[in-house]
Amino acid sequence: MAGHVGMRVRLRYLPHYDGQIEVFSTEEWGRHLGTAYLAEAATVEQRRALSSVREKKARALKADLKAAEKLRKARYTATTTAAVPRPRRTVTSSEAEAEIARSRGADLAARALPDLIPPREPPASWARPVVRPRRAADS
């Protein structure tokens, strides 16, 4: 878009093409000025590596879910005579407490999506807008 600095333009953004936008002039018939592309688009190798990382993460989460589902179900020993059901594996109180403590210590925010976590306070070196105190007449 070199040579069009300061010109008023209209943009047409297509949600399915997030790497480009169409640029039109603001004249009556809106002449098409061209297509603007994302400046720092990921390379093919980067996109493949990202896809691989995401697949690996999905497999790990599926394995975690499968293991958690397996632990959740109560299993009982087989018997050939009528008797009170007995759990196949008994858990000691220390094992139970240890697992409960591990679940409390798990950092769920680390697994949450970034947009669900409130942003941190910006560094003091950043410029901030001036907030003027309200006067009694403004209220």
Side-chain angles (χ1 to χ4, degrees):
M1 303 313 308
H4 297 288
V5 176
M7 177 186 244
R8 294 180 63 100
V9 296
R10 274 187 313 117
L11 301 177
R12 184 177 78 170
Y13 169 72
L14 299 171
H16 300 293
Y17 297 98
D18 58 355
Q20 68 186 40
I21 56 173
E22 300 296 326
V23 183
F24 296 87
S25 67
T26 56
E27 300 167 355
E28 185 177 331
W29 295 102
R31 185 172 49 101
H32 183 255
L33 299 174
T35 303
Y37 295 93
L38 183 62
E40 297 178 7
T43 64
V44 173
E45 295 83 21
Q46 288 173 322
R47 288 191 307 240
R48 284 183 186 144
L50 180 60
S51 178
S52 173
V53 166
R54 288 177 176 170
E55 284 294 323
K56 184 178 179 181
K57 185 177 180 180
R59 282 193 302 272
L61 288 172
K62 285 178 185 175
D64 285 350
L65 180 62
K66 188 175 181 179
E69 196 61 34
K70 195 174 187 179
L71 288 173
R72 188 180 67 86
K73 293 179 182 176
R75 303 212 184 266
Y76 299 96
T77 56
T79 182
T80 56
T81 60
V84 176
R86 291 184 324 172
R88 268 185 36 198
R89 182 178 181 274
T90 56
V91 180
T92 65
S93 62
S94 60
E95 288 174 332
E97 286 299 321
E99 189 168 337
I100 292 168
R102 276 194 308 272
S103 71
R104 284 189 196 125
D107 183 16
L108 296 179
R111 299 182 86 175
L113 298 174
D115 57 342
L116 298 178
I117 300 172
R120 294 187 193 135
E121 190 67 25
S125 61
W126 286 14
R128 295 171 181 236
V130 176
V131 179
R132 295 191 177 123
R134 298 184 88 190
R135 295 182 294 170
D138 292 341
S139 343

